Amino acid sequence: MTIEILKSPTSRYQVAQLARDSFGEMIKGVVDVSRRVIALGGELHSDEESALLDDGSVQNDLWGINLYPAESGENWIEFDSMINIRPALNNRSRDVEDENLRERIREVVTKLIPE
């Protein structure tokens, strides 16, 4: 699978195409909340995390999500990933537990993949 790092806006249609090439209706992504970029298209969130680290991201800024391009509203983003388990950052589950952090992730996703 090819990993694409989004640094400028793309269409939901393009994300749907990437999803079809990976898991069908869903695509895994990793958001860098500081650099405001997203990596999409890896088989595992750790693949995208690695691509972003190679691209200059810092580990603590990276959070895993799943995107469902055919969905809308809250159903389009799922904050579930093994890379989100970070007890040192007070996140002890696969979900992003901090609502403020979730909002920062939503802002990056909305900026780069507008509806």
Side-chain angles (χ1 to χ4, degrees):
M1 293 185 183
T2 302
I3 296 173
E4 184 170 332
I5 297 176
L6 301 180
K7 296 180 178 177
S8 60
T10 191
S11 69
R12 182 88 59 113
Y13 175 78
Q14 181 62 32
V15 174
Q17 295 287 32
L18 292 171
R20 274 194 274 283
D21 293 342
S22 57
F23 292 98
E25 297 180 4
M26 181 271 288
I27 188 165
K28 294 179 184 238
V30 173
V31 176
D32 181 327
V33 293
S34 289
R35 293 178 59 217
R36 303 178 64 82
V37 298
I38 304 172
L40 295 173
E43 184 173 345
L44 303 170
H45 287 108
S46 60
D47 298 330
E48 294 144 338
E49 180 183 49
S50 178
L52 285 173
L53 290 170
D54 289 346
D55 193 58
S57 293
V58 175
Q59 180 77 53
N60 287 351
D61 294 331
L62 303 180
W63 297 91
I65 60 172
N66 298 314
L67 297 174
Y68 296 86
E71 299 291 331
S72 61
E74 293 293 317
N75 294 330
W76 132 257
I77 302 174
E78 180 179 60
F79 299 92
D80 179 34
S81 171
M82 291 294 288
I83 71 166
N84 295 337
I85 300 172
R86 300 195 189 162
L89 297 178
N90 293 321
N91 201 81
R92 300 184 186 283
S93 74
R94 295 169 49 110
D95 291 324
V96 175
E97 297 171 345
D98 181 334
E99 185 54 41
N100 291 328
L101 181 56
R102 283 182 178 223
E103 188 55 35
R104 289 176 66 197
I105 292 169
R106 281 188 200 98
E107 288 172 8
V108 174
V109 171
T110 300
K111 175 188 147 219
L112 293 175
I113 313 168
E115 286 200 45

